[in-house]
Amino acid sequence: IYYRHRLLDVELYFGTDGRSDEKEEKEIVTPDDATPEEEAYFEYLRQQQALEPEVKKDYLFYRFNLNLKDFETIRPKYSLIFHRFNFKIGENSSGAGAFKYTGKSLTNALYLSSEFEEYDLLITGFLSLEMTENESGITEYTEQRKANIAKAGISFGLVF
């Protein structure tokens, strides 16, 4: 979604993995003219497919951008970004391999850009604060980690 005004631009982005959590099983069909050895092989493949662990995943993000345009020498931009990721895999045929993870982050970022035409130079700086929360475990969430991460940077670009 995009909104443009003479003083500002507003953008909203949304995304997801777009997939279903349903297990994708491709049916293994034995050809009509299969030999007994081939039939046994196809039956073995169907049994192996039934032993595969269940996998569930979910990814989602939102991004909101606000660009302010009515400034003479500096162009400020604010960005708010949200991510969420969930992943779970069930036990395999031997009862091992189960794992679950969930992670969330929220980032506030401020970008400041300025162009120096006499030098053909563009300078951009940013400050951001990212708040993250991660949990993982085998069948229950046993490890949890929360953090606030501050970031800053500057870049120089040549403008022709």
Side-chain angles (χ1 to χ4, degrees):
I1 299 174
Y2 187 82
Y3 173 74
R4 178 175 255 169
H5 184 270
R6 67 179 176 87
L7 299 176
L8 57 88
D9 291 337
V10 177
E11 303 166 337
L12 179 63
Y13 299 93
F14 163 78
T16 183
D17 62 359
R19 295 185 179 184
S20 156
D21 278 339
E22 293 179 15
K23 190 174 180 180
E24 292 182 30
E25 284 193 29
K26 294 182 181 179
E27 185 178 353
I28 299 173
V29 180
T30 305
D32 293 335
D33 60 346
T35 65
E37 292 84 13
E38 290 173 330
E39 287 180 13
Y41 176 69
F42 285 116
E43 181 59 30
Y44 170 77
L45 289 178
R46 282 190 284 278
Q47 290 172 357
Q48 291 301 310
Q49 186 180 44
L51 296 175
E52 291 178 3
E54 180 183 18
V55 176
K56 291 187 177 186
K57 79 246 167 304
D58 174 39
Y59 176 73
L60 175 71
F61 84 90
Y62 293 100
R63 181 172 184 153
F64 170 78
N65 292 334
L66 177 64
N67 302 313
L68 301 176
K69 299 192 284 190
D70 199 26
F71 289 88
E72 300 235 351
T73 59
I74 201 159
R75 291 187 307 263
K77 177 180 179 178
Y78 171 74
S79 190
L80 178 68
I81 306 164
F82 172 78
H83 288 270
R84 183 189 73 210
F85 179 70
N86 295 316
F87 178 79
K88 179 181 177 182
I89 187 166
E91 295 178 348
N92 61 19
S93 60
S94 64
F99 179 74
K100 63 193 287 186
Y101 169 84
T102 186
K104 293 183 235 176
S105 74
L106 181 66
T107 305
N108 288 285
L110 178 63
Y111 301 86
L112 301 172
S113 297
S114 186
E115 185 175 336
F116 298 95
E117 291 180 6
E118 62 272 11
Y119 302 111
D120 294 332
L121 185 65
L122 176 67
I123 299 176
T124 303
F126 82 94
L127 294 170
S128 73
L129 178 64
E130 182 176 3
M131 296 163 278
T132 64
E133 182 177 323
N134 298 306
E135 297 177 307
S136 64
I138 303 299
T139 56
E140 299 295 324
Y141 292 120
T142 56
E143 294 185 32
Q144 298 175 346
R145 193 176 97 201
K146 292 182 181 183
N148 293 323
I149 304 165
K151 301 175 186 176
I154 191 165
S155 68
F156 298 93
L158 298 176
V159 181
F160 299 101

